[in-house]
Amino acid sequence: MDTPQMGIAARLAAKMSMAEQHEYLRSKVTRRRVVLGGMATAGTVAASGLLGGVAQAQSPAPSLLTRPATDHHVDGALVAPFGRHLQFGADPKSQFTVSWQVPLAVRRPFVRIGLAPWSLSHRIEAEVRALHTPQLLNSKLPAVDQYYLHVRLDGLRAGTTYYYGVGHEGFDPATTAAFGTIGSFTTAPAHSEPFTFTAFGDQGVSYHALANDSLILAQNPAFHLHAGDICYADPDGSGQQSDSADYDARTWDSFLAQTESVSARVPWMVTTGNHDMEAWYSPNGYGGQEARWTLPGNGHDPKNQPGAYSFVYGNTAVVALDANDVSYEIPANYGITGGKQTAWLDRTLAGYRGRHDIDFLVVFFHHCAYSTTNSHASDGGVQTEWVPIFDKYQVDLVINGHNHVYERTDAIRKGEVSHAVPIGETTRPATDGTVYITAGGAGRSLYSFPAPDTFEGSEHPVDTVTTWHSAKGGAHVVDTVTWSRVRYTGYSFVSIDVQPGRPGRESTLTVSAIAETGERIDHFTVARRTS
C-alpha cells in the first residue's frame, strides 16, 4: 500500500492516523536537537495598474533572513537560486506567487518585477520558510535543511506579461551576471479568450518526467494541474520499517530543479496525493507542502488543507481537492476535515454553476473515482462522497492521478455509463454525464490493466472489464464495468484547449492525451451551450 510513514512498522502504521504517525516520529527521534524554522511575514506587492506607484511590502522577520547556514558567513554571490515555480492566487487576473529555493540561508531575499526584462523596477522582500529534516528512523541519510522563498503579488493587471527575477544580498537579477535568470508570466485575461491548460499526476524525478515537461512547455499552457504524488521523496511508502532509510527530502530539490523549465513561466497548480503526506513535518502531514507551495487560500481551511482551493480562468472554474480526506484505500487522513471539505465542495460548485460567465467546471484530485488498473483501481470513498456532487452540478471534467497510466471513461452518471464517448466524439455534460480521466503517467513506474490497451491508432475495445473498488476498511469489492473507454500503458499527459462560445452557441473543451513520444493517444470534446 502506498502510504508514506517514514519508518513506522507496518503493524503500527496500519492502525495509525497521520497525526498519530507524526507524534510517533517526534517521540522517537530524540537523538539530536531539532530546530524548525518559523514563518516570516509574507512579502506582498500592491501592483495596481502597470505597477504604477510604490510597491508596498511588509518586512519579513529578520531572524530568518540573516541566519547563516553555518557558523561561517556565506557570500551571497556564491549562492544561486533555483527551483522557481509560479502559482496563481485566488484570482489569476491579478494574483500570482513567485516561489523558489536556495541551497543555503541567505540575507534579504527578494523578487524584482517589471514590465520589461531590462526594467525590473520594483523590489519586494520575500517570505522564507525553512524546513529541517533530521536523520529519521533507520535512515542512513544525513539531516537536511531546506529554504523556500515566496513573494505574493497582488493588484496586477489582467492580460499583462510581467518579468521577474529572484535574488538576495550578493545576487541581484538586475545585474548583467544574473540577467539570464529572469523569467516572465502573464496574468489571466479580463474576458474569456481561447486558452490551453495541461494536467497530469504522479510525476517524480526521471527522464520520463523531464520528457513530459518538455512536451508540456510546447503546448504553451496558461497553467498546469498536478494531481498529486508530486516528487516521491518517500519513494516506497509501504509502511515498512525500512521506509525511513528511503525517505530523502533532497528529492524535492531535484524535482523543483527538473520542473523549473516549465514552472518558472507556467503556474504549477498542485494538490495533495498520498505520497505527499509527510508525517515528520506536521500532524496532518502537510507541513512540507505548506513550506514549498503558496496555493490559493480560498479553500475551507487553507492552513490545514492547502491542497483544496479553486480559481477561475476565463470561462473555466477549476477546483482542487484533497482526496486523502475521503480515501477508503489509504486512510491515514481519512475524515480529517469532518465533512467540511465536502460541504465546501458543494457550496463552491453551486456558486460557480450559478455564474453566467462560467461555462465549464473542472475538478482535479489524486485518488481515482473510476479506474481499472491492477494496482489501485477505484476509490470507494471518492465514489461515495464526491461523485454524487459531481452529478448534481454536471461537472464537465474530472482529472485524477494515483494509477500510473492513462485511462478515460465514457460519460458517467450515478456510477453507470450514461453516454458513450468514443475517441473523437463530443459529449455534453448537461445531459450526458461526466467524463473521468486518470492521468497518472507523468513519470513514475507504470502500472498494468486487467484488459488490453485501447487507444487512438490502436483500438481494441472490450464490452466489460473486471476490476474493483476499495471499500471502507480497505477491502476490495469486485466490479464488472462498461465505462473504461481508453486505456494506455505509457507515459503521457493531458492537454485541454478551451474555446469560449458566443451567446447561444457552444463553448468547447477539446481534450487530448499526448504520449511522451508526442503522439496523440486520445481526444474528445466537451461542449456546453452558453447562456
Side-chain angles (χ1 to χ4, degrees):
M1 182 180 293
D2 292 336
T3 49
Q5 277 102 7
M6 296 185 183
I8 302 172
R11 61 184 174 80
L12 294 176
K15 301 177 181 179
M16 298 169 75
S17 68
M18 185 56 53
E20 291 168 336
Q21 293 174 38
H22 171 75
E23 181 61 29
Y24 178 88
L25 288 172
R26 290 284 171 148
S27 66
K28 292 296 183 182
V29 182
T30 57
R31 297 187 300 275
R32 62 191 63 83
R33 181 173 178 263
V34 177
V35 180
L36 280 175
M39 294 292 186
T41 305
T44 304
V45 57
S48 56
L50 284 173
L51 280 173
V54 179
Q56 303 296 319
Q58 294 177 308
S59 298
S63 59
L64 276 176
L65 299 181
T66 57
R67 185 180 67 180
T70 67
D71 292 336
H72 304 286
H73 174 68
V74 177
D75 185 350
L78 304 177
V79 180
F82 70 98
R84 294 170 298 168
H85 50 289
L86 301 172
Q87 302 111 98
F88 287 139
D91 181 6
K93 295 190 298 295
S94 63
Q95 297 172 331
F96 268 69
T97 294
V98 178
S99 303
W100 71 100
Q101 191 174 351
V102 286
L104 299 168
V106 295
R107 300 179 189 275
R108 291 179 285 279
F110 61 87
V111 160
R112 285 191 180 274
I113 186 168
L115 294 171
W118 55 85
S119 181
L120 304 182
S121 56
H122 287 72
R123 173 171 166 158
I124 307 99
E125 290 189 13
E127 172 188 355
V128 181
R129 303 175 192 170
L131 279 184
H132 176 81
T133 308
Q135 186 177 39
L136 295 170
L137 306 180
N138 305 314
S139 178
K140 297 179 181 179
L141 297 173
V144 176
D145 287 290
Q146 294 167 307
Y147 304 92
Y148 300 98
L149 304 102
H150 306 261
V151 171
R152 294 181 178 96
L153 305 173
D154 201 357
L156 302 170
R157 276 194 174 181
T160 302
T161 297
Y162 293 90
Y163 296 86
Y164 72 93
V166 300
H168 50 263
E169 184 179 282
F171 186 98
D172 192 333
T175 64
T176 303
F179 193 76
T181 65
I182 293 172
S184 66
F185 62 86
T186 302
T187 54
H191 306 288
S192 293
E193 298 176 1
F195 69 94
T196 298
F197 69 95
T198 52
F200 59 41
D202 305 80
Q203 187 178 19
V205 180
S206 71
Y207 291 115
H208 301 292
L210 187 60
N212 261 339
D213 283 352
S214 298
L215 287 172
I216 283 170
L217 192 59
Q219 307 297 311
N220 193 28
F223 56 88
H224 177 73
L225 306 180
H226 194 311
D229 279 8
I230 302 170
C231 92
Y232 291 83
D234 181 354
D236 295 329
S238 59
Q240 302 299 316
Q241 288 185 346
S242 61
D243 276 9
S244 62
D246 294 324
Y247 182 80
D248 189 350
R250 298 171 300 178
T251 305
W252 282 103
D253 305 347
S254 299
F255 174 82
L256 290 171
Q258 167 191 273
T259 307
E260 185 175 17
S261 63
V262 186
S263 62
R265 56 187 289 186
V266 176
W268 202 262
M269 307 303 293
V270 304
T271 190
T272 309
N274 51 291
H275 276 272
D276 304 319
M277 294 185 288
E278 299 170 322
W280 168 257
Y281 300 114
S282 63
N284 61 9
Y286 301 146
Q289 187 94 321
E290 289 181 84
R292 302 177 187 109
W293 308 92
T294 298
L295 299 166
N298 60 354
H300 81 97
D301 188 356
K303 176 64 177 176
N304 294 311
Q305 201 172 33
Y309 57 88
S310 68
F311 62 89
V312 176
Y313 193 103
N315 67 340
T316 302
V318 178
V319 179
L321 298 173
D322 172 17
N324 294 314
D325 180 28
V326 300
S327 174
Y328 287 167
E329 182 198 10
I330 301 174
N333 262 347
Y334 177 74
I336 190 174
T337 71
K340 292 180 180 178
Q341 180 183 205
T342 299
W344 171 81
L345 170 65
D346 193 296
R347 294 192 307 271
T348 300
L349 291 179
Y352 285 147
R353 186 51 80 203
R355 285 175 51 173
H356 295 299
D357 60 329
I358 293 176
D359 297 323
F360 297 112
L361 304 181
V362 175
V363 181
F364 77 108
F365 52 92
H366 186 63
H367 303 68
C368 291
Y370 295 103
S371 183
T372 64
T373 72
N374 294 313
S375 296
H376 296 298
S378 307
D379 196 301
V382 171
Q383 292 181 350
T384 298
E385 297 292 335
W386 290 347
V387 165
I389 299 175
F390 302 153
D391 288 347
K392 180 179 178 182
Y393 297 108
Q394 304 167 9
V395 166
D396 297 281
L397 189 65
V398 173
I399 300 170
N400 301 138
H402 201 41
N403 286 293
H404 301 179
V405 291
Y406 175 80
E407 186 170 17
R408 195 257 294 172
T409 72
D410 286 319
I412 295 176
R413 183 163 289 165
K414 296 182 178 179
E416 302 291 341
V417 174
S418 52
H419 182 76
V421 188
I423 294 171
E425 295 297 315
T426 297
T427 181
R428 295 172 174 81
T431 56
D432 295 345
T434 301
V435 171
Y436 293 79
I437 287 177
T438 299
R444 292 295 287 185
S445 57
L446 298 168
Y447 293 169
S448 63
F449 290 107
D453 278 17
T454 178
F455 54 91
E456 187 170 348
S458 182
E459 293 190 51
H460 304 283
V462 295
D463 293 332
T464 61
V465 178
T466 299
T467 180
W468 55 274
H469 70 268
S470 55
K472 203 166 189 177
H476 292 181
V477 178
V478 175
D479 297 318
T480 300
V481 304
T482 61
W483 41 252
S484 181
R485 172 60 62 174
V486 179
R487 295 176 298 279
Y488 176 74
T489 305
Y491 297 101
S492 61
F493 68 96
V494 176
S495 180
I496 298 101
D497 296 323
V498 183
Q499 181 67 50
R502 292 177 294 180
R505 302 287 184 89
E506 286 186 327
S507 295
T508 58
L509 301 177
T510 301
V511 184
S512 300
I514 311 296
E516 70 170 341
T517 60
E519 296 176 281
R520 190 176 66 184
I521 55 173
D522 185 24
H523 74 285
F524 67 99
T525 299
V526 179
R528 185 174 287 274
R529 184 171 292 276
T530 61
S531 56

